[in-house]
Amino acid sequence: MHTVLEQVQKFIERLSPEPVCDDCIAERLEFGVQLHANHETRELAGSGGFERRNDACSLCGSHKLVIRKRSR
């Protein structure tokens, strides 16, 4: 069983380098509340190639805070 952090990390890595918002992460991973995704993306930001910034989400198209993993 994967932790919530591991689930979020793997989801972002699958979409890499495309950015994704917390709302789409929560919806796609069926968390029920966006708060779970927000907590995990804040934890990932700034480490291991993950970065948060204002941009368009690759899934919903909304311009807001997103996270992505830079491609190598």
Side-chain angles (χ1 to χ4, degrees):
M1 186 89 154
H2 293 291
T3 66
V4 172
L5 180 61
E6 290 170 332
Q7 291 176 44
V8 170
Q9 181 177 348
K10 288 181 186 308
F11 183 75
I12 296 165
E13 288 172 341
R14 278 197 312 269
L15 294 174
S16 177
E18 298 300 319
V20 63
C21 70
D22 293 347
D23 291 331
C24 285
I25 292 171
E27 180 183 322
R28 298 306 197 287
L29 297 179
E30 301 178 347
F31 289 152
V33 289
Q34 182 258 3
L35 182 61
H36 293 301
N38 180 267
H39 175 75
E40 305 308 336
T41 56
R42 284 186 290 126
E43 187 171 333
L44 288 169
S47 66
F50 291 94
E51 62 183 17
R52 280 173 63 92
R53 64 177 188 215
N54 283 311
D55 202 347
C57 174
S58 63
L59 297 178
C60 70
S62 295
H63 196 274
K64 56 174 128 180
L65 192 59
V66 296
I67 188 165
R68 73 179 188 115
K69 183 167 184 182
R70 292 184 300 266
S71 55
R72 297 178 186 229

